Amino acid sequence: MGKDVIIACDFDSAEKTYAFLDRFTGRKPFVKIGMELFYAEGPQIVREIKRRGHRIFLDLKLHDIPNTVKKAMAVLSNLDVDICNLHAAGTRRMMEAALEGLTRPDGTRPLLIAVTQLTSTDQESMEKDLLIRAPMDQVVMHYAKTARDAGLDGVVCSPLEAGKVHEACGRAFLTVTPGVRFADGDAGDQKRVMTPAQAREIGSDYIVVGRPITAAADPVAAYERCVAEFIG
Ligand code: C5P
């Protein structure tokens, strides 16, 4: 599994998504389908984007009792996605159950990665709302190691954390990093950002890029620029 740029297709309808993807006549980008699009259009959107030849990261962040997550993962595995995810906060047992559910009878399965602490959670809300008192860094690394020990393939994390995750969990443990912006671009609501070139330097395996591509005047050119900067 090499390095790649994943486009976050944060659209609210199939129509808008296909209109966007139709612009890519050459290379078929790896795409991320999140809750908004999946809940709007259902599993058919996954089947159709797959049929068009794209690889898919289905970003549904499962978190429930182990048995429920296991069964849900079996359904996602049948949809033939390439990467799916869950919350490490669901515990090691939930992650192990997820892997069982995801594994097809022939032994193959999509990659499974974990969300550690959401980047929208800060130290204060973690302490107040979740009663977790350890420093954020330590919490993120602990969740990453638990995910690795459960057999998962990697984590979603800030590009600023990717280096540390590799140090703690090994180079083969994947880091999938959002929060990427061009040096001359608008950061929008992302606070801690990196350019594609910086994300490459720090060792991100996949970067997830939304608005710098989807809202660009020329999305195909923006995608190609991102690939050039990240992969070279
Ligand atoms: O448009 P933008 O490049 O900010 O999109 C980034 C994508 O990555 C969005 O789909 C966003 O929900 C997702 N994401 C994120 N930060 C996280 C986890 C996911 O920006 N910590």
Side-chain angles (χ1 to χ4, degrees), residues 105-123:
D106 66 1
T108 63
R109 65 167 174 81
L111 292 173
L112 181 61
I113 61 178
V115 175
T116 57
Q117 280 292 351
L118 291 168
T119 44
S120 51
T121 306
D122 59 12
Q123 186 72 35

Side-chain angles (χ1 to χ4, degrees), residues 18-125:
Y18 300 149
F20 172 75
L21 293 177
D22 282 345
R23 304 175 77 130
F24 294 82
T25 49
R27 191 200 309 247
K28 298 273 184 190
F30 203 136
V31 303
K32 177 171 91 78
I33 299 174
M35 289 185 203
E36 183 185 14
L37 186 55
F38 189 79
Y39 292 149
E41 299 292 346
Q44 189 49 35
I45 187 85
V46 177
R47 292 190 193 99
E48 175 56 22
I49 294 178
K50 195 77 201 176
R51 192 194 63 76
R52 289 169 171 235
H54 298 270
R55 286 188 291 156
I56 298 174
F57 167 20
L58 188 57
D59 179 19
L60 298 181
K61 301 187 179 70
L62 276 67
H63 188 174
D64 209 316
I65 59 170
N67 186 55
T68 300
V69 169
K70 179 178 169 178
K71 289 181 176 172
M73 285 294 181
V75 174
L76 300 186
S77 183
N78 281 331
L79 278 179
D80 198 21
V81 297
D82 298 277
I83 306 180
C84 50
N85 63 356
L86 46 61
H87 276 281
T91 75
R92 176 170 177 163
R93 203 153 70 81
M94 188 200 80
M95 292 193 265
E96 288 169 349
L99 274 180
E100 268 178 54
L102 210 53
T103 306
R104 305 182 184 103
D106 66 1
T108 63
R109 65 167 174 81
L111 292 173
L112 181 61
I113 61 178
V115 175
T116 57
Q117 280 292 351
L118 291 168
T119 44
S120 51
T121 306
D122 59 12
Q123 186 72 35
E124 190 189 348
S125 51

